[in-house]
Amino acid sequence: MTRPFVIALDGPAAAGKGTLAKRLAAHFGLAYLDTGALYRAVGLSVLRQGKDPTDPIAATEAAKNLPADLLQDPELRSAASGDASSKVAAIPSVRAALFDWQRRFAAEPQPFADGTPRSGSVLDGRDIGTVICPDADVKIFVTATPEARANRRLKELQARGEKAIYARVLEDIVARDARDTARADAPMKAAEDAVHLDTSDLDIDQVFAKAKAIVDERLKPS
């Protein structure tokens, strides 16, 4: 059996990797997993229980008993869920609870709705190319300046009707970057063989074109 083709997209919050991952998955007919949604769901679950996302016991319990339908909850995209996800993601036992689930997704791509098999998958997160799928066929580290990412996140929050100001959003972005890169277990960093893609001054069509070219090059017959 041919090994599934895997595209790993890593990078900080609001760099555009989620939107890019969805477009790549749709274009190449691959399964898609937003691994950040798993951590957002854990964080949201802890918050809804009235507990602290930095509490290892509460967070690990939530990760082990994560209901699948929570991954579709609109509140996952809230600022509170995003902040909580970064906190629970820094807990080794939470990452361990979700580790195998993510690797199985990459190794066994979900088929199309009609049951037709898929040839691979696209996963985006913080440690896909370094920890979850170190043997991914394509690794792209998607990044942008903190200012550009704060502007994007601000527009996203305002579009959902949430009250937000640029200075606070930028502060949250910088704080999340610090937590994600400093955590002891699977810190956010680019894989040594990843292609860096700075989206600061690019629109989504330009980002997609550059990423597609990277994947197309890898798919060329050797």
Side-chain angles (χ1 to χ4, degrees), residues 155-213:
K155 292 177 182 178
E156 180 183 308
L157 294 172
Q158 291 176 336
R160 292 204 301 265
E162 295 188 36
K163 293 182 179 180
I165 58 174
Y166 174 80
R168 179 57 186 274
V169 174
L170 177 59
E171 181 182 334
D172 288 345
I173 287 284
V174 172
R176 286 197 63 185
D177 287 352
R179 285 198 300 270
D180 291 342
T181 57
R183 67 189 181 216
D185 187 55
M188 178 183 69
K189 64 179 180 179
E192 291 184 1
D193 53 346
V195 178
H196 289 248
L197 179 54
D198 191 322
T199 68
S200 300
D201 300 314
L202 304 176
D203 62 32
I204 183 55
D205 290 331
Q206 293 171 318
V207 172
F208 174 71
K210 287 182 176 292
K212 178 179 176 298

Side-chain angles (χ1 to χ4, degrees), residues 136-158:
D137 299 277
V138 176
K139 300 177 186 177
I140 304 176
F141 191 79
V142 185
T143 189
T145 65
E147 292 77 16
R149 292 186 285 126
N151 271 317
R152 294 170 186 171
R153 181 52 54 82
L154 178 65
K155 292 177 182 178
E156 180 183 308
L157 294 172
Q158 291 176 336

Side-chain angles (χ1 to χ4, degrees), residues 40 43 47 53 78-88 172 175-176 179:
R40 283 175 174 269
L47 291 176
S78 70
S81 294
D83 184 64
S85 74
S86 184
K87 293 175 180 176
V88 300
D172 288 345
R176 286 197 63 185
R179 285 198 300 270

